[in-house]
Amino acid sequence: MPSEETRRVLKLFGVAVTNLEDAIDRKAPRDEIMKWDAEVAERTRETLALVDRLRSRRIG
């Protein structure tokens, strides 16, 4: 069963991606798009770190 941390990380990643997509689709100002782009990058790093931790538990 997914942990609360997994749920939190994936939820925040999803929110960031959908906000970026929305900003692009409505042709928001560049600054706003770049803000969401940076948020997606940060959430991607956080998601990859979570996956690495999970994989190390499986292997270790």
Side-chain angles (χ1 to χ4, degrees):
M1 173 147 296
S3 69
E4 288 304 313
E5 178 188 18
T6 298
R7 286 187 175 93
R8 180 190 67 78
V9 168
L10 293 176
K11 179 181 178 183
L12 292 174
F13 178 77
V15 168
V17 169
T18 55
N19 284 337
L20 174 60
E21 184 178 28
D22 177 61
I24 291 169
D25 288 349
R26 61 186 168 77
K27 298 177 178 26
R30 186 175 190 281
D31 288 348
E32 182 181 345
I33 292 171
M34 295 309 294
K35 176 187 112 177
W36 288 117
D37 184 70
E39 181 75 15
V40 168
E42 176 60 30
R43 298 304 174 187
T44 299
R45 286 188 289 275
E46 186 178 22
T47 301
L48 290 172
L50 171 66
V51 171
D52 284 344
R53 288 192 302 276
L54 291 173
R55 292 177 77 210
S56 71
R57 284 188 357 206
R58 178 193 64 169
I59 296 167

